[in-house]
């Protein structure tokens, strides 16, 4: 799909957003006339903003994606830029879905303008299917994929089930809640003082022994274990609840 299909037109954001458009100008030459004869076309500014948003979103965005760019004041008069103005995400903008684009010109007169944008698209996210208690280890039946509007999302959401299976909830969760990184953490499969099984394997041979965990551990974490027989302290990687693979 071509990027142009993402936003066939430029919807108008309400008057409040229009009022957010900020402009700062700085003369870089004392020879520039105060009366600007050739003004920067507002349409070119809008197109520069749209191009940046489309590039940021990528070519895989669905045709239902809508880009809304704040309407520029028709009375705005900026010196025409010698080159096509540049555009980038304004400082502090974390997401293109609801952010601000900084458009700049360097010559013959330096100016910049901030243009608010909104992007609405259908996004697949992970949602909770039933009530989950605090410190619950998420299982496959606890979550599902659902398509929602990007405007309802906060940063840090998950879009694949594999990314959340095995994580532990930080608080109680209600059915229908969109999971994000603030709600879950890596589950502690081993706790300090717990008796664990140590194992080491190679083709044709597996050795197991008992030990005591000297620290908490999540899946894949390297932790210290005291061998219950030799009292020697060794290190291994958490494989599952109560099982540690010796690091060789």
């Amino acid at each position: 799909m071509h990027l142009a299909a993402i936003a066939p037109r430029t919807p108008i954001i309400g008057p409040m957003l229009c009022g957010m458009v900020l402009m700062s100008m700085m003369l870089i030459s004392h020879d520039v006339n105060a009366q600007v004869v050739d003004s920067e076309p507002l349409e070119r500014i809008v197109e520069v903003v749209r191009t940046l948003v489309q590039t940021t979103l990528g070519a895989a965005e669905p045709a239902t994606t809508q880009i809304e760019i704040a309407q520029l004041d028709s009375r705005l008069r900026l010196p025409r830029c010698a080159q096509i103005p540049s555009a980038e995400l304004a400082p502090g903008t974390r997401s293109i879905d609801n952010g601000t684009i900084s458009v700049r010109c360097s010559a013959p007169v330096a100016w910049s303008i901030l243009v608010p944008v909104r992007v609405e698209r259908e996004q697949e996210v992970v949602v909770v299917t039933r009530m989950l208690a605090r410190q619950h280890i998420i299982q496959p039946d606890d979550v599902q994929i659902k398509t929602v509007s990007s405007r309802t999302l906060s940063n840090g959401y998950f879009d694949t089930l594999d990314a959340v299976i095995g994580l532990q909830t930080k608080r109680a969760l209600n059915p229908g809640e969109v999971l994000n990184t603030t709600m879950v953490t890596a589950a502690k499969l081993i706790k300090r003082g717990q008796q664990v099984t140590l194992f080491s394997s190679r083709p044709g041979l597996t050795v197991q022994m008992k030990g005591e965990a000297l620290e908490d551990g999540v899946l894949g974490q390297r932790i210290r274990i005291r061998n219950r027989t030799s009292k020697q302290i060794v290190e291994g990687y958490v494989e599952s609840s109560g099982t540690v693979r010796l690091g060789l």
Side-chain angles (χ1 to χ4, degrees):
M1 181 188 70
H2 295 292
L3 286 176
I6 295 178
R9 58 191 179 88
T10 304
I12 298 176
I13 301 179
M16 293 184 65
L17 274 180
C18 295
M20 292 174 59
V21 179
L22 305 176
M23 189 273 291
S24 63
M25 295 183 60
M26 176 182 66
L27 293 178
I28 60 174
S29 171
H30 296 294
D31 296 330
V32 177
N33 294 328
Q35 183 68 28
V36 177
V37 177
D38 194 7
S39 299
E40 177 67 30
L42 300 185
E43 295 80 5
R44 187 160 75 157
I45 295 176
V46 170
E47 191 57 33
V48 166
V49 171
R50 191 202 320 277
T51 299
L52 175 67
V53 174
Q54 291 174 335
T55 301
T56 303
L57 292 175
E61 286 299 309
T64 55
T65 298
Q66 295 184 5
I67 300 173
E68 296 183 358
I69 302 174
Q71 185 180 31
L72 302 180
D73 192 332
S74 60
R75 297 168 297 178
L76 186 62
R77 294 291 182 268
L78 298 171
R80 186 180 181 91
C81 200
Q83 305 293 331
I84 296 177
S86 62
E88 62 183 2
L89 293 180
T93 296
R94 297 182 178 181
S95 171
I96 197 69
D97 291 321
N98 189 9
T100 304
I101 306 300
S102 174
V103 181
R104 296 179 178 274
C105 175
S106 58
V109 176
W111 53 259
S112 66
I113 183 171
L114 300 178
V115 184
V117 297
R118 282 184 180 176
V119 176
E120 183 171 6
R121 50 183 166 168
E122 298 296 305
Q123 176 66 50
E124 289 189 343
V125 296
V126 177
V127 299
V128 178
T129 59
R130 56 188 176 186
M131 179 72 73
L132 300 181
R134 180 175 175 270
Q135 295 186 338
H136 174 78
I137 305 299
I138 296 177
Q139 305 299 317
D141 291 341
D142 297 330
V143 288
Q144 66 180 7
I145 294 292
K146 183 178 180 180
T147 301
V148 300
S149 169
S150 61
R151 286 191 179 180
T152 65
L153 298 175
S154 58
N155 291 333
Y157 60 83
F158 296 96
D159 57 7
T160 63
L161 296 178
D162 289 344
V164 302
I165 302 302
L167 296 182
Q168 187 176 53
T169 60
K170 291 183 177 180
R171 62 171 177 82
L173 300 176
N174 296 313
E177 281 197 78
V178 177
L179 273 182
N180 64 50
T181 53
T182 66
M183 301 175 178
V184 292
T185 186
K188 292 181 180 179
L189 299 181
I190 290 178
K191 296 183 178 180
R192 181 179 180 181
Q194 179 180 344
Q195 298 301 305
V196 299
T197 298
L198 297 167
F199 78 93
S200 175
S201 63
R202 60 184 181 183
L205 177 64
T206 298
V207 177
Q208 292 187 351
M209 61 200 79
K210 296 297 182 180
E212 178 187 350
L214 300 181
E215 53 193 320
D216 296 341
V218 301
L219 182 64
Q221 182 179 354
R222 186 171 182 171
I223 62 173
R224 294 176 299 123
I225 306 291
R226 178 182 287 113
N227 187 308
R228 197 165 67 179
T229 302
S230 67
K231 307 303 180 183
Q232 181 182 2
I233 295 178
V234 296
E235 292 187 341
Y237 297 90
V238 178
E239 286 281 308
S240 61
S241 179
T243 304
V244 176
R245 173 176 54 84
L246 287 176
L248 300 177

